[in-house]
Amino acid sequence: AQTVTQSQPEMSVQEAETVTLSCTYDTSESDYYLFWYKQPPSRQMILVIRQEAYKQQNATENRFSVNFQKAAKSFSLKISDSQLGDAAMYFCAGIMGSNYKLTFGKGTLLTVNP
Amino acid sequence: GAGVSQSPRYKVTKRGQDVALRCDPISGHVSLYWYRQALGQGPEFLTYFNYEAQQDKSGLPNDRFSAERPEGSISTLTIQRTEQRDSAMYRCASSTSSVSETQYFGPGTRLLVL
């Protein structure tokens, strides 16, 4: 079975500070892809960042970066210089092996305080 | 349009009625997915199309749910004899191919069954 776990239901950060959202996953597959999606109050589902398991280098997209620890099956998201517009529900998700289904965690609600 | 579009954005219906939810994927995307998201949860897979072929419908909860994509582009998810437990956000996503490719989501259809 493939699972994605987000253990932090809620997090908060001060504007301009850095926050890290945690995610762990479990799969027996050697080939997989991991994602972070953002769901703002509008309830759109927006891709934040993607990581291929075969890549050792951590993915980065502007202020967003991941810490991918393959042995520990951990995939955390770091948001630097947090902005008010970063406030949203963040979902960690994965596509495992030759599967095409995205498996999602339960999400972490991020609040950004001015 | 540049992104995945879904219609209607909101649908309120009475128990026992049939509803049809439409998804228009990103142009050129051959793979299309339907997910359902309950409040406070991550999306869960319903069904997957590659071109016009429905490759996987294992996530459809029962035989009241069906989906089609007759010309390999627009897809319709139909729920017959709706029940209150069908109330949720229904999301469509598309990708350039299936395995490993990033799935881009539409804005969703929020369904409320009274």
Side-chain angles (χ1 to χ4, degrees):
Chain A
Q2 298 149 352
T3 60
V4 175
T5 303
Q6 295 178 251
S7 58
Q8 306 157 315
E10 297 183 22
M11 292 280 286
S12 64
V13 64
Q14 291 295 125
E15 196 175 1
E17 296 295 308
T18 295
V19 64
T20 298
L21 309 183
S22 300
C23 173
T24 58
Y25 60 93
D26 190 21
T27 181
S28 57
E29 303 287 346
S30 58
D31 189 23
Y32 52 89
Y33 305 82
L34 300 170
F35 306 84
W36 280 95
Y37 284 89
K38 169 184 176 181
Q39 189 173 79
S42 65
R43 297 209 75 195
Q44 295 264 14
M45 187 71 83
I46 302 165
L47 175 71
V48 175
I49 202 163
R50 164 192 166 110
Q51 174 79 45
E52 292 84 351
Y54 62 83
K55 289 187 177 178
Q56 294 186 343
Q57 187 172 8
N58 289 325
T60 299
E61 288 287 343
N62 301 314
R63 298 182 294 106
F64 298 86
S65 61
V66 300
N67 183 6
F68 176 45
Q69 300 289 326
K70 195 169 184 177
K73 296 185 176 177
S74 170
F75 180 62
S76 59
L77 175 69
K78 186 172 83 170
I79 306 174
S80 304
D81 186 25
S82 297
Q83 300 175 0
L84 295 177
D86 295 334
M89 181 73 86
Y90 286 82
F91 289 98
C92 179
I95 295 175
M96 316 295 187
S98 59
N99 204 335
Y100 37 75
K101 305 174 188 179
L102 272 168
T103 300
F104 284 86
K106 291 191 173 184
T108 297
L109 181 63
L110 178 66
T111 302
V112 181
N113 300 309
Chain B
V4 179
S5 61
Q6 291 186 246
S7 61
R9 294 290 304 276
Y10 301 92
K11 178 70 177 178
V12 180
T13 190
K14 292 183 179 180
R15 187 178 54 190
Q17 297 294 306
D18 298 350
V19 296
L21 313 181
R22 173 185 164 125
C23 172
D24 195 348
I26 294 171
S27 177
H29 280 195
V30 303
S31 295
L32 186 147
Y33 315 80
W34 283 98
Y35 292 82
R36 180 167 70 173
Q37 185 178 13
L39 204 60
Q41 302 290 322
E44 292 185 343
F45 173 82
L46 293 177
T47 187
Y48 156 62
F49 290 85
N50 191 37
Y51 294 96
E52 71 281 0
Q54 189 173 23
Q55 303 279 18
D56 185 343
K57 55 181 182 179
S58 63
L60 296 177
N62 52 61
D63 61 8
R64 295 187 296 105
F65 288 72
S66 63
E68 63 175 9
R69 193 186 184 197
E71 297 179 1
S73 180
I74 293 169
S75 176
T76 302
L77 177 69
T78 301
I79 309 172
Q80 295 180 313
R81 305 181 303 282
T82 52
E83 301 178 4
Q84 288 184 328
R85 59 178 172 158
D86 300 334
S87 297
M89 176 75 84
Y90 289 84
R91 296 194 181 275
C92 173
S94 70
S95 67
T96 54
S97 64
S98 55
V99 178
S100 85
E101 292 301 320
T102 298
Q103 296 177 25
Y104 295 92
F105 283 83
T109 294
R110 187 191 295 270
L111 175 65
L112 177 62
V113 183
L114 301 176

